[in-house]
Amino acid sequence: MQPGYISLYQSGELRRRAEALESRLVSCDICPRECGVNRLEGERGFCHSGRLPIVSAVCAHHGEEPAISGSSGSGTIFFGNCNMRCVYCQNYQISQDWRKQQSREMDFHALAERMLYLQDELGCHNINLVSPSHFVPQLVRGVLEAVPMGLRLPLVYNTSGYDSAKSLKELDGIIDIYLADLRYASDKWARKFSQAADYVEHARAAIQEMYRQVGELVLDEAGLARRGLIVRHLILPNRLAGSQESLTWLAEEVSPAVTVSIMSQYFPAHRAPRILSLSRTVSASEYSEVTELVDRLGLENGWVQELGASDNYLPDFEREGYPFSPTGASLP
Ligand code: SF4
């Protein structure tokens, strides 16, 4: 299966999409915050990001879902900065320290070179774009640059879910696999813990748009994802993720056949140790409550992470090259 962006490149549509998205940077409405700043002139909105992409780490990632990581790893590009401010963010070193990330800005050719490095030198299965919501125009421009250089891997849009449906529409046919969080069912907690007071409405609209574009997960003969939607749900302590409401919504309003990834790896990172309700990992009873719910709702496709996974997934972006363990790939 050839990634959709190849034919869009050949028809000229990929260039048109890049230009349409870039024109919106003049009064930025790329994500739901709609800051209205002119990113082409160096003004910075909530995400502190300008015209060029910021790439904070590049590696073959072996800790994603089996259909994403496979045997050779997912070719992961971690964008710097974020349009959310999760108090428990595991990637806070690169998502919430915008002054440091400024030095990691790169031009589009360099971004395309990173994609080719992951494809040709590391032999990864896909290009996994992590925290792309504030860099949608930049990622499309990067792909436009990378196609004539030989890029052929499927693209994974790996997002916290706080996305603009209008921006996602421009990605129709470009993104092959959406890997989207559904973090909250309550705007009260989304505002308090992630500074995203209208998260629920936008994340649900985004997931419906993603599902409209790519539908259910399609695997190849090796069990690797080629196309489709995976919805991730991170269980939070004290039921703060609203698992019951979110998963019920997913089964009833999207589809019981949608692929879900239930994550138990919550760890009180960053500011969370100082917030009582978020200062511990998930308990056995909280975990089984969610796994039983998944069964009851008939959500049969996907993965449920084992309890006790919280120690295995903590990245350290201060570590040179590879954030997940002392060994592995290094930056090109
Ligand atoms: S992408 Fe950044 S500047 Fe644009 S609306 Fe979102 S937070 Fe604001």
Side-chain angles (χ1 to χ4, degrees):
M1 193 189 285
Q2 179 172 269
Y5 59 78
I6 302 288
S7 61
L8 294 183
Y9 175 85
Q10 288 161 347
S11 69
E13 176 64 10
L14 192 61
R15 182 171 300 279
R16 193 204 67 74
R17 301 272 188 96
E19 289 169 357
L21 283 160
E22 284 163 353
S23 72
R24 289 167 50 196
L25 292 172
V26 174
S27 176
C28 189
D29 67 347
I30 292 301
C31 89
R33 294 199 185 270
E34 299 189 358
C35 297
V37 295
N38 188 344
R39 290 172 61 179
L40 300 181
E41 294 294 333
E43 292 175 16
R44 306 288 161 119
F46 186 90
C47 65
H48 290 285
S49 304
R51 182 179 73 86
L52 292 172
I54 292 171
V55 174
S56 299
V58 175
C59 68
H61 191 351
H62 294 273
E64 303 283 40
E65 285 76 2
I68 302 294
S69 281
S71 55
S72 301
S74 177
T76 305
I77 293 176
F78 289 91
F79 286 116
N81 299 338
C82 191
N83 68 341
M84 294 176 77
R85 294 283 186 280
C86 301
V87 293
Y88 49 85
C89 182
Q90 295 189 351
N91 296 356
Y92 67 95
Q93 292 160 312
I94 60 169
S95 66
Q96 299 188 29
D97 183 359
W98 62 271
R99 285 184 182 84
K100 196 163 182 184
Q101 301 315 306
Q102 267 178 327
S103 64
R104 292 169 172 166
E105 249 186 17
M106 60 174 62
D107 65 23
F108 300 106
H109 187 75
L111 174 58
E113 281 180 335
R114 299 307 190 274
M115 295 179 186
L116 270 293
Y117 164 75
L118 292 165
Q119 173 182 278
D120 297 337
E121 295 189 40
L122 298 191
C124 295
H125 301 297
N126 45 56
I127 301 296
N128 183 352
L129 303 156
V130 178
S131 297
S133 310
H134 53 302
F135 281 130
V136 175
Q138 291 83 353
L139 81 84
V140 175
R141 178 63 66 177
V143 174
L144 185 66
E145 188 88 17
V147 173
M149 293 163 70
L151 185 71
R152 293 296 179 269
L153 290 180
L155 299 179
V156 182
Y157 187 92
N158 184 341
T159 173
S160 298
Y162 193 45
D163 286 284
S164 149
K166 181 179 171 189
S167 296
L168 291 175
K169 282 187 172 56
E170 298 286 358
L171 295 177
D172 194 356
I174 299 174
I175 298 296
D176 305 282
I177 300 149
Y178 284 103
L179 188 51
D181 289 339
L182 185 50
R183 282 180 185 249
Y184 301 104
S186 153
D187 282 333
K188 178 182 168 191
W189 301 135
R191 179 180 57 75
K192 183 166 182 181
F193 300 132
S194 298
Q195 291 186 39
D198 52 1
Y199 179 87
V200 179
E201 168 199 347
H202 287 289
R204 290 183 180 187
I207 284 172
Q208 282 174 317
E209 171 60 20
M210 294 171 191
Y211 188 68
R212 183 194 69 76
Q213 289 180 25
V214 295
E216 280 147 31
L217 194 64
V218 176
L219 305 179
D220 67 13
E221 59 286 349
L224 292 167
R226 297 302 303 189
R227 185 177 167 83
L229 169 66
I230 300 171
V231 177
R232 279 178 169 169
H233 181 69
L234 176 70
I235 309 170
L236 292 176
N238 296 301
R239 302 187 182 87
L240 293 170
S243 305
Q244 164 93 38
E245 205 179 327
S246 280
L247 294 174
T248 302
W249 173 82
L250 198 59
E252 291 180 355
E253 303 297 327
V254 181
S255 167
V258 72
T259 297
V260 292
S261 178
I262 303 296
M263 306 174 81
S264 64
Q265 70 183 54
Y266 174 76
F267 181 86
H270 192 32
R271 299 187 207 284
R274 299 201 291 271
I275 299 168
L276 189 59
S277 57
L278 285 171
S279 60
R280 62 166 173 83
T281 55
V282 170
S283 70
S285 63
E286 288 165 342
Y287 174 76
S288 56
E289 209 172 275
V290 177
T291 56
E292 284 163 20
L293 175 67
V294 167
D295 285 343
R296 252 197 335 276
L297 290 169
L299 292 164
E300 290 181 347
N301 296 323
W303 304 269
V304 177
Q305 207 173 38
E306 283 181 17
L307 190 61
S310 53
D311 295 340
N312 302 331
Y313 294 90
L314 281 181
D316 179 1
F317 291 92
E318 300 294 330
R319 189 183 286 140
E320 187 58 30
Y322 189 67
F324 293 95
S325 83
T327 57
S330 58
L331 280 165

